[in-house]
């Protein structure tokens, strides 16, 4: 699987140039909706970047996510619209156990964000139980999101670090994923140890 950089090329579009277009357009909600309606990935990426997240309704965002089958469009929609909008927590809960694994992956991505920024009220042991039971056999997109949640629990919450490391070591998810020089492996034990080391020396 290819994970494109936000400054690289995706869907035939140079994303650095796309961001230059965004600087000229600024936020335009009506245009964003028109671009999204085209169904084209490049247009949808532009739509996301000129959107006003607070102007989307909960059901509108839900429908958009379910139609965002491109990985880049899906990830940007979650990161740049859902997380910044007023419905993030409601949608996190609605998507978390969705039968569509791509939709569920968005719920897990939002959960990983909460693990880092606002973990109060999250059942971290329960999340680890679910990861332990389901991650290894989960579909690819969902497996990546669960793995990120596992890593963030281990990085951010020292009391659960050893268990997160143990789960990662035993499941071996992404253990052999090719990692470019200078980048941190997505294999949870390596990721956790490296980020914990950086936090301890910062």
């Amino acid at each position: 699987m290819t994970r494109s950089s936000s400054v690289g090329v995706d869907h035939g579009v140079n994303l650095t140039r796309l961001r230059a277009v965004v600087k000229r357009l600024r936020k335009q909600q009506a245009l964003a909706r028109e671009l999204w309606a085209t169904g084209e990935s490049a247009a949808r990426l532009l739509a996301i970047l000129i959107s006003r997240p607070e102007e989307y309704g909960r059901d509108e965002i839900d429908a958009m996510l379910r139609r965002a089958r491109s990985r880049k469009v899906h990830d940007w929609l979650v990161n740049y619209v859902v997380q910044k909008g007023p419905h993030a927590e409601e949608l996190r809960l609605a998507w978390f156990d969705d039968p569509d694994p791509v939709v569920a992956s968005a719920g897990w991505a939002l959960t990983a964000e909460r693990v880092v920024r606002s973990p109060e009220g999250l059942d971290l042991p329960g999340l680890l139980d679910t990861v332990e039971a389901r991650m290894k056999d989960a579909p690819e997109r969902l497996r990546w999101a669960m793995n990120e949640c596992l890593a963030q629990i281990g990085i951010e919450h020292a009391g659960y670090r050893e268990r997160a490391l143990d789960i990662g070591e035993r499941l071996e998810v992404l253990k052999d994923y090719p990692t470019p020089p200078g980048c941190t492996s997505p294999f949870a034990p390596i990721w956790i140890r490296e980020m914990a080391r950086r936090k301890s020396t910062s």
Side-chain angles (χ1 to χ4, degrees), residues 93-201:
L93 294 170
W95 291 338
F96 188 81
D97 286 318
D98 196 277
D100 182 333
V102 175
V103 175
S105 73
W108 277 87
L110 292 168
T111 300
E113 176 70 10
R114 269 205 60 188
V115 166
V116 176
R117 299 191 182 279
S118 56
E120 299 79 11
L122 288 179
D123 178 7
L124 298 181
L127 287 172
L128 291 174
D129 288 344
T130 302
V131 168
E132 187 172 22
R134 294 171 48 195
M135 181 172 71
K136 190 172 184 66
D137 296 322
E140 182 185 36
R141 298 275 288 277
L142 181 55
R143 188 167 64 243
W144 273 93
M146 285 182 163
N147 183 71
E148 180 177 5
C149 192
L150 172 66
Q152 295 298 356
I153 291 173
I155 293 164
E156 300 292 335
H157 302 278
Y160 297 104
R161 187 167 297 152
E162 287 304 316
R163 186 177 176 207
L165 288 167
D166 177 66
I167 291 171
E169 294 284 5
R170 284 187 291 104
L171 298 185
E172 298 187 333
V173 169
L174 301 176
K175 183 176 182 179
D176 298 321
Y177 188 79
T179 304
C183 296
T184 301
S185 170
F187 179 47
I190 294 176
W191 188 358
I192 291 167
R193 290 188 177 102
E194 173 60 18
M195 299 309 295
R197 182 191 66 77
R198 293 183 193 181
K199 288 168 70 73
S200 68
T201 58

